[in-house]
Amino acid sequence: MRRLVDEQQILAPLTRYTHLCDARDGTAWEIFSEDGTDDHNLFGQAIHGWDAIESMFARSSENLEATAHFISNTEIEVDGDRAKTRTYAQCWTWLRFSGDKGAVRPCDYVFVGVYNDDLVRTADGWRISYRRTTPLGTGALGLGEGNETYFAAYAAGVARAL
C-alpha cells in the first residue's frame, strides 16, 4: 500500500510542473528541492537552486506567448525516501515574436523528450532534486522549426544568471 501512495504523491509534482509552466506561474521552481537542479540538456548548463531555477522560468516566460506541456508513460522506482522517474514529455510552444502570424496559428515548435528525475521525500512532500531533460528523435523537435536565435539568446541568458 505504501508503494501505491508514494507513486501517487510522486506524480503530483510532475503534473504540477506542467500546469505551472503553462500558466506561466512563477512558482514552478517549488517542485524542486531547495538545492535542486534543472538540466534542460539544451543550453549547455544546468541550473542549481531555487533562485536560479526561478530566474530561468522568469526569463523564459518573457519570450513565450503560450506553452502546452503533456507528460505520459511515467516509470517510477521508489527506494525509501528517494525515487527515480522517467516521463515522456511534449511541450508545444508559441513564441511572442511570431505573434504577427495571428492569434490563432500553428505552434512555433514542439519539443519531444524525456524528463529523467531524481526525487527526494521532504517534510513538504516529494520534490525533484535533479531533473535532466533528454531530447528524443533527431534534434528533439517533433514539429516546427524552432528558432536558433531564440535558443542562442536563451542560452546566453542562462549563462549570465549562473
Side-chain angles (χ1 to χ4, degrees):
M1 181 60 94
R2 181 68 198 171
R3 178 178 164 78
L4 293 174
V5 170
D6 281 342
E7 287 181 359
Q8 285 302 307
Q9 291 175 345
I10 288 166
L11 286 172
L14 306 183
T15 303
R16 182 165 168 72
Y17 174 87
T18 66
H19 293 282
L20 293 171
C21 286
D22 295 342
R24 288 191 302 283
D25 183 314
T27 63
W29 53 270
E30 291 179 345
I31 66 134
F32 290 88
S33 60
E34 191 170 349
D35 61 346
T37 298
D38 189 358
D39 183 355
H40 273 68
N41 198 23
L42 295 171
F43 310 117
Q45 295 185 356
I47 309 301
H48 305 284
W50 275 352
D51 290 342
I53 293 170
E54 180 182 22
S55 178
M56 185 257 313
F57 280 115
R59 278 192 322 283
S60 66
S61 291
E62 292 172 3
N63 299 311
L64 303 175
E65 186 166 329
T67 59
H69 287 73
F70 301 95
I71 59 174
S72 65
N73 302 10
T74 301
E75 296 176 331
I76 301 171
E77 295 177 25
V78 180
D79 184 12
D81 290 338
R82 300 209 170 269
K84 291 186 177 290
T85 62
R86 177 177 157 77
T87 305
Y88 277 54
Q90 286 184 29
C91 179
W92 296 63
T93 302
W94 292 263
L95 300 170
R96 287 193 195 280
F97 62 77
S98 64
D100 61 337
K101 296 177 183 176
V104 178
R105 63 183 189 273
C107 69
D108 291 297
Y109 64 90
V110 177
F111 170 82
V112 180
V114 176
Y115 294 146
N116 296 288
D117 296 327
D118 294 338
L119 294 96
V120 61
R121 188 191 322 261
T122 72
D124 297 318
W126 287 93
R127 298 290 184 263
I128 296 172
S129 59
Y130 192 94
R131 167 168 279 177
R132 181 169 176 85
T133 303
T134 304
L136 290 175
T138 58
L141 292 180
L143 177 69
E145 298 175 13
N147 185 295
E148 293 305 318
T149 302
Y150 167 73
F151 288 128
Y154 185 77
V158 169
R160 279 194 307 274
L162 299 176

